[in-house]
């Protein structure tokens, strides 16, 4: 079974600075998808960014980018120019690309990000 | 476009009571699922459905029942609530035909069992 590990329960960053959230995963599969979800205090789950394992290029969405290291099974999220609205819990998630896996997501335990002035 | 709608937002139950958490989506998604979120444990899959009339168990199915009589609705039933079921519950759906499409989540239901 796949596992996702987020080793940083809490992180803090100053406004306008850059922060990197870590995620590692364990799988024997070669094709899969990785996601970062943001959960603000409103409890809503918001997709931040996704990466397909067969793509070597790291995904980028505005101030959010990932460092995907397939061999190391690492998928870190970099937030540039941090804003107060970035304060939230961030979850890393894995999904197999195998047919028959029915779109199941395996989540990490989350990293709570604080943004300070 | 409402997306995924969960009701209620909050619920308090006594041990042994039953209730149904409602989930509806208006995106014609084939795939629907229920997760529970507990502190320090992330989200864990309870049950899922790949289409009307088809359901299957996830990682933590005990104590929960589901059915999928229509594409739009996927209710989660607690037949006899226990304090261990105190959690935040999320319903999520996805376009089954697009393999790399993301899950769309509802806003969650906070359930407390006393």
């Amino acid at each position: 079974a796949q596992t996702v590990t987020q080793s940083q329960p809490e992180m803090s960053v100053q406004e306008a600075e850059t922060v990197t959230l870590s995620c590692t995963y364990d799988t024997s599969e070669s094709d899969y998808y990785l996601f970062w979800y943001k959960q603000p205090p409103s409890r809503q789950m918001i997709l931040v960014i996704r990466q397909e394992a067969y793509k070597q290029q790291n995904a980028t969405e505005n101030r959010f980018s990932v460092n995907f290291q397939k061999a190391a099974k690492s998928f870190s999220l970099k937030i540039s120019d941090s804003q107060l609205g970035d304060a939230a819990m961030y979850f890393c998630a894995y999904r197999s690309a195998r047919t028959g896996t029915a779109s199941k997501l395996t989540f990490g335990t989350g990293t709570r990000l604080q943004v300070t002035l | 476009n409402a997306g995924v709608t969960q009701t209620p937002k909050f619920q308090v139950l006594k041990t042994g009571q039953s209730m149904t958490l409602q989930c509806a989506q208006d995106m014609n998604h084939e795939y629907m699922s229920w997760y529970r979120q507990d502190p320090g444990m992330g989200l864990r899959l309870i049950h899922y459905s790949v289409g009307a009339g088809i359901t299957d168990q996830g990682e933590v199915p005990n104590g929960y029942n589901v059915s999928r009589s229509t594409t739009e609705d996927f209710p989660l039933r607690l037949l006899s609530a226990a304090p261990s079921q105190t959690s935040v519950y999320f319903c999520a759906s996805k376009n089954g035909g697009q393999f790399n499409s993301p899950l769309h989540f509802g806003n969650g239901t906070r359930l407390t069992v006393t």
Side-chain angles (χ1 to χ4, degrees), chain B residues 14 24 28 70 86 88 106:
Chain B
K14 288 185 166 41
N28 202 32
T70 67
T86 294
V88 178

Side-chain angles (χ1 to χ4, degrees), chain A residues 39 43 50 52 95 97 102 105, chain B residues 31 35 37 99-100 107-108:
Chain A
Q39 187 181 44
R43 208 167 64 199
R50 61 179 164 177
E52 287 123 333
R95 192 173 84 210
L105 278 179
Chain B
Y31 178 83
Y35 287 84
Q37 181 180 13
F99 201 73
N100 64 347
N107 287 337

Side-chain angles (χ1 to χ4, degrees), chain B residues 47-65:
Chain B
H47 284 286
Y48 65 94
S49 169
V50 298
I54 305 169
T55 64
D56 208 343
Q57 296 181 349
E59 183 184 353
V60 288
N62 291 342
Y64 308 95
N65 281 349

